[in-house]
Amino acid sequence: KSPTSPDISEEMVEPVGNHYIVARPVYSENLFNEEHEKLGCDSDKLFTNSSVLLCLYSCSPQRVKKIALRLFPIISWLPAYRFREWILSDIVSGINTGLVAVLQGLAFALLVNVPPSYGLYAAFFPILVYFIFGTSRHISVGPFPVLSLMVGGAVIRLVPDDNAGNGTSTNISAINEERVMVAASVTFLSGVFQLLLGILQFGFIVIYLSQSLISGFTTAAAIHVLVSQLKFMLQLPVPGFNKPFGIIYTLESVFSQITKTNIADLVTSLVVLLIVFVVKEVNDRYKAKLPTPIPIELLMTVLAALISYFVNFEEKFNVAVQSFLSFRFQAPVAPDVGVFQKCIGDSISIAIVGFAVAFSVAKVYSIKHDYPVDSNQELIAFGLGNIVGGSFKGFASSTALSRSGVQESTGGKTQIAGIISAVIVLIVILAIGFLLAPLQKSVLASLALGNLKGMLMQFKEIGILWRKDKYDCVTFSDPSLPPGFSMGCKYLCVFVHSPSCTVLANVGRSNIYRNRKDYTDIYEPEGVKIFRCSSPIFFANIEFFREKLISAVGFSPLRVLRKRNKALRKIRKMLKKGELQVTPKGLICMVNHTHESDEELDNNRIEELDQPTNMTDLPIQINWGADLPPGITVPRVDIHSIVLDFSSVSFLDFSATRVLQKVIEFVRINIDIYIAGGFLDKLERCAFFDEEIKPSMFFLTIHDAVLHILLKKDIASSPKLKPTEVTLQFLSSLL
């Protein structure tokens, strides 16, 4: 049918060239829902991703099998393992990864402030658990420097260095035992949090941790790791400072004792650091040509231990060595409930950061090798790994980027490589660990810093990120600050980052609406403002949205309403005194006007000024756009309709709906409000509508709302378009 036909039916017309014509009725949300049946909400979909919870109320053999495959991924991939093709690669990868895991476990234990041998437990038990429950084939599970530093912060806070002389700890061994118990308890509790998050299907939380947030946190933590290892590299008695900006106090303590530096430890540290950095750079630059990365950590550890043993560094130069090594399995212990009460915040932070880092690395390798990883199952795997590891006196595990890189680059195909690496750690624990007793602590500290190269190089991204997005560049981090401080700062930046709001106009006389500032060929219907918000609207930015809308229309509706109510009070008062007379031409003032202050008019309750104008008791309807009696002024309002485009608004919270009701107070000054692409169903549930705000204000698109306005208003006098032209121009695209 012709678009100008009064009986317009909905139909699609075949495209002609690069044009198309659509003829359909003007749809409000209610009218559209009446003509087109809407599917109801299927409650089963709410539990589609909650397999564990679903099984609690409805089980079948197929569902049990599906849940078992999901909870135990090993059932899926182990039977399909290509033994002949993959086993050799996994063995080679596992041996290389295991050697690195041993050295990193020993080194990162220094960050936790526990004896190095306990780092091997953190490199062993989580691998066994992840082998069964994990979904990534390439990450190497074990200690991670940032997590180790966070656990160490809780350890130092609860068992400070100065306990040695206050009678509660009589020797270094007792202090170490206390610290090991604190680290194990914090790890156990963080594992419980991860397990609960996984069972409750909270794996989606990783999407709220932006890449810049993770990079900023890990880079800042790398600086703290660097400073914390200075006392081992210089062999200085620096106490732990677990308080806000403790890094400053640590540096102050280091420099105040700098003259007491052990030269042998300093020289050893610098030599090891230099060699490690150079070889790692060679590994990165020539990784395509090298069959396997050079295991520089292993070579330096063996060489340093041999030199220290045969030269007898401990006696000749008084260097610090691993005096309290205990290479044997510890019996599992129950966590200390008293530690739980003091470290809940630390455990939550450790749980989230550990999962975020591990899942980010797992996602990279899953994309590279084209297989899925399940965020909820990863939470369960890491949670169980930390629970088991904490029970055996290990500390928090995640994945180290360098260690996972070794496992993947040396040909690792599955977590069989992880089991092989665990066997290497087991051999060190039970058989050859005692050979590392002469190893200097300064060597382990240097190896820990050598693994921070990638994190420290992230400083180069600051300048790039600052030029691209200043808000995204701001991330604060200090492991000694209250948990979640970095996330709080990050989301504060999100709140400060105001929503994008623009005024739209019709472009090309079709159904296309764009920012009025970007085009010259625009048409704005007289008396109509079209306002778009392209961001979620919630409690933090709803006031900004309101201010932007008021700025776009050019006046505050509340101010206009109050001015009109004040004017009505004055008109009633003047009519009562006979100062105004009603004539066919309007109101005529019969006396010379004398100014009456606003304060004089506001003796009554101020709430009355915020009510809709009521002229039922007046002998004439006031035309606010016409001339008013002398001495009575109200702000001029040149618009009659506002269209709010919410088609790009993905979220609207309950707090925002309360304020949005006040935003729509334009209806009280006879300005019609229309919403395109809104949240009709949600607003109905929130009891948003009343006698003034009705569901009929919701339309499918901006164009539907504009057409409704033009057909409703008397546009015959419009100098731009006649009624027939309006129908032609707005019901179809021009050919």
Side-chain angles (χ1 to χ4, degrees):
K1 295 185 180 180
S2 169
T4 58
S5 171
D7 182 21
I8 298 175
S9 63
E10 186 173 3
E11 59 181 78
M12 287 291 295
V13 180
E14 291 294 329
V16 180
N18 63 343
H19 299 270
Y20 70 90
I21 300 174
V22 178
R24 65 169 177 80
V26 175
Y27 276 130
S28 67
E29 284 278 357
N30 288 338
L31 180 59
F32 185 81
N33 290 334
E34 288 175 5
E35 292 194 10
H36 300 273
E37 184 177 357
K38 196 173 184 180
L39 290 175
C41 178
D42 186 356
S43 60
D44 290 341
K45 295 180 180 178
L46 298 176
F47 299 95
T48 299
N49 296 323
S50 302
S51 302
V52 178
L53 299 179
L54 187 61
C55 186
L56 295 178
Y57 75 91
S58 177
C59 283
S60 64
Q62 295 81 8
R63 182 162 289 161
V64 171
K65 180 181 178 181
K66 182 179 179 181
I67 295 172
L69 290 173
R70 185 170 182 177
L71 288 179
F72 302 95
I74 187 174
I75 301 175
S76 301
W77 65 264
L78 191 58
Y81 186 78
R82 302 176 189 175
F83 188 84
R84 292 183 178 180
E85 298 178 33
W86 292 350
I87 188 61
L88 183 60
S89 296
D90 278 339
I91 290 175
V92 173
S93 174
I95 293 173
N96 282 276
T97 307
L99 294 173
V100 175
V102 168
L103 303 174
Q104 289 186 349
L106 295 172
F108 296 160
L110 297 180
L111 302 176
V112 186
N113 298 286
V114 297
S117 57
Y118 289 91
L120 297 181
Y121 305 143
F124 177 72
F125 291 104
I127 295 177
L128 302 181
V129 177
Y130 192 84
F131 176 75
I132 300 172
F133 295 96
T135 59
S136 175
R137 304 174 189 173
H138 294 90
I139 66 171
S140 174
V141 180
F144 179 58
V146 174
L147 285 191
S148 301
L149 184 68
M150 296 173 72
V151 176
V155 168
I156 286 295
R157 188 177 74 249
L158 297 185
V159 190
D161 290 323
D162 59 0
N163 270 7
N166 62 10
T168 59
S169 297
T170 57
N171 50 53
I172 299 297
S173 179
I175 292 178
N176 286 337
E177 190 61 34
E178 281 189 61
R179 290 180 171 178
V180 167
M181 199 63 208
V182 170
S185 300
V186 171
T187 299
F188 187 96
L189 185 56
S190 68
V192 170
F193 283 128
Q194 288 177 324
L195 180 61
L196 289 176
L197 289 173
I199 293 175
L200 297 176
Q201 307 290 293
F202 271 77
F204 64 86
I205 62 173
V206 74
I207 67 176
Y208 295 102
L209 305 175
S210 69
Q211 184 59 44
S212 60
L213 174 62
I214 296 174
S215 298
F217 186 89
T218 54
T219 304
I223 299 297
H224 285 267
V225 172
L226 172 62
V227 173
S228 70
Q229 297 306 287
L230 289 178
K231 65 179 181 181
F232 298 110
M233 297 173 66
L234 305 177
Q235 197 185 333
L236 297 174
V238 178
F241 295 98
N242 189 257
K243 52 186 176 181
F245 306 106
I247 188 173
I248 299 175
Y249 298 98
T250 302
L251 288 173
E252 180 186 12
S253 180
V254 168
F255 286 112
S256 66
Q257 306 177 68
I258 197 71
T259 56
K260 301 177 184 178
T261 300
N262 186 301
I263 301 301
D265 273 322
L266 175 60
V267 172
T268 303
S269 300
L270 294 177
V271 170
V272 172
L273 263 181
L274 178 63
I275 296 175
V276 169
F277 274 130
V278 170
V279 176
K280 281 186 173 290
E281 187 64 29
V282 171
N283 284 339
D284 290 342
R285 187 166 297 184
Y286 299 103
K287 60 183 177 182
K289 299 180 179 179
L290 292 172
T292 180
I294 301 172
I296 187 58
E297 292 96 341
L298 173 64
L299 297 177
M300 292 308 301
T301 301
V302 174
L303 185 60
L306 289 174
I307 294 176
S308 176
Y309 177 75
F310 286 108
V311 180
N312 200 4
F313 274 5
E314 184 178 10
E315 291 185 6
K316 285 188 177 181
F317 302 107
N318 195 31
V319 299
V321 297
Q322 310 303 325
S323 304
F324 294 95
L325 288 176
S326 177
F327 289 98
R328 60 183 176 83
F329 272 120
Q330 298 284 333
V333 295
D336 188 342
V337 179
V339 174
F340 286 179
Q341 298 173 351
K342 301 174 183 177
C343 295
I344 293 178
D346 300 271
S347 298
I348 293 174
S349 295
I350 290 168
I352 294 176
V353 171
F355 166 66
V357 171
F359 187 75
S360 299
V361 177
K363 197 69 176 175
V364 169
Y365 289 125
S366 72
I367 294 173
K368 180 178 179 180
H369 295 279
D370 192 25
Y371 63 87
V373 289
D374 185 341
S375 59
N376 295 308
Q377 185 61 29
E378 289 294 289
L379 273 170
I380 293 174
F382 280 104
L384 291 174
N386 281 325
I387 289 173
V388 174
S391 299
F392 284 90
K393 298 186 178 181
F395 50 84
S397 66
S398 178
T399 181
L401 308 182
S402 57
R403 195 170 61 247
S404 294
V406 169
Q407 180 165 319
E408 191 267 345
S409 62
T410 53
K413 304 296 184 184
T414 65
Q415 283 300 326
I416 294 290
I419 287 296
I420 301 297
S421 69
V423 171
I424 299 298
V425 177
L426 180 64
I427 293 172
V428 173
I429 293 175
L430 298 179
I432 63 175
F434 68 93
L435 297 176
L436 298 175
L439 187 63
Q440 298 167 243
K441 288 186 177 181
S442 58
V443 173
L444 291 178
S446 299
L447 293 176
L449 296 184
N451 283 280
L452 299 177
K453 175 176 174 288
M455 296 184 196
L456 294 174
M457 294 303 290
Q458 292 177 144
F459 271 108
K460 297 189 298 184
E461 301 176 7
I462 294 178
I464 300 173
L465 192 57
W466 179 262
R467 290 191 294 271
K468 291 183 177 180
D469 191 339
K470 294 181 176 59
Y471 290 104
D472 210 26
C473 188
V474 180
T475 300
F476 299 90
S477 177
D478 187 336
S480 59
L481 290 173
F485 182 75
S486 299
M487 298 178 193
C489 291
K490 183 66 181 178
Y491 293 120
L492 179 62
C493 293
V494 173
F495 294 156
V496 172
H497 204 337
S498 305
S500 172
C501 299
T502 53
V503 177
L504 306 183
N506 186 279
V507 179
R509 301 297 179 89
S510 65
N511 64 338
I512 299 173
Y513 294 83
R514 292 292 185 268
N515 190 338
R516 63 193 299 272
K517 297 180 180 179
D518 295 341
Y519 298 89
T520 56
D521 181 23
I522 63 173
Y523 169 64
E524 295 181 272
E526 185 177 354
V528 179
K529 282 286 183 184
I530 307 170
F531 186 78
R532 167 179 288 171
C533 179
S534 303
S535 305
I537 303 176
F538 54 101
F539 68 94
N541 63 15
I542 183 63
E543 285 299 334
F544 178 86
F545 169 82
R546 180 175 177 274
E547 292 171 4
K548 279 289 186 180
L549 177 59
I550 290 174
S551 175
V553 299
F555 58 86
S556 167
L558 185 59
R559 180 173 178 271
V560 172
L561 179 61
R562 288 178 175 177
K563 287 286 187 180
R564 288 184 178 181
N565 277 323
K566 288 179 181 180
L568 287 176
R569 285 185 185 179
K570 193 170 185 178
I571 290 173
R572 289 188 181 96
K573 189 174 183 179
M574 295 177 69
L575 285 171
K576 188 175 181 180
K577 292 182 177 181
E579 297 175 355
L580 286 178
Q581 283 192 355
V582 179
T583 68
K585 295 183 178 181
L587 295 173
I588 297 179
C589 186
M590 306 301 295
V591 297
N592 292 329
H593 172 69
T594 56
H595 179 71
E596 200 166 5
S597 67
D598 286 345
E599 288 76 15
E600 227 177 307
L601 294 171
D602 284 346
N603 290 333
N604 294 330
R605 292 173 299 181
I606 189 67
E607 291 81 3
E608 293 181 3
L609 296 177
D610 297 338
Q611 299 303 313
T613 54
N614 184 4
M615 292 182 268
T616 56
D617 60 328
L618 294 178
I620 189 174
Q621 293 295 306
I622 307 297
N623 182 0
W624 299 110
D627 292 336
L628 297 174
I632 299 178
T633 59
V634 295
R636 186 175 179 82
V637 176
D638 295 322
I639 63 175
H640 54 72
S641 302
I642 296 175
V643 179
L644 301 178
D645 178 19
F646 283 177
S647 58
S648 299
V649 177
S650 60
F651 174 71
L652 185 73
D653 73 356
F654 181 75
S655 299
T657 63
R658 300 295 93 188
V659 180
L660 191 60
Q661 282 182 314
K662 298 179 181 178
V663 171
I664 305 181
E665 60 199 5
F666 286 94
V667 298
R668 296 188 175 185
I669 56 173
N670 301 321
I671 294 179
D672 295 329
I673 297 289
Y674 302 94
I675 298 177
F679 300 82
L680 180 59
D681 294 340
K682 180 172 184 176
L683 293 177
E684 285 179 340
R685 293 195 303 269
C686 294
F688 180 78
F689 301 105
D690 54 27
E691 294 181 357
E692 295 177 327
I693 305 173
K694 302 179 184 298
S696 58
M697 65 172 55
F698 283 78
F699 284 80
L700 286 184
T701 66
I702 301 174
H703 202 52
D704 284 297
V706 171
L707 288 176
H708 174 79
I709 294 168
L710 294 177
L711 295 173
K712 178 181 178 182
K713 299 295 179 182
D714 181 12
I715 57 173
S717 59
S718 173
K720 292 185 177 288
L721 295 173
K722 296 179 181 178
T724 55
E725 291 175 330
V726 171
T727 307
L728 284 170
Q729 296 288 349
F730 287 90
L731 285 179
S732 65
S733 300
L734 289 175
L735 296 177

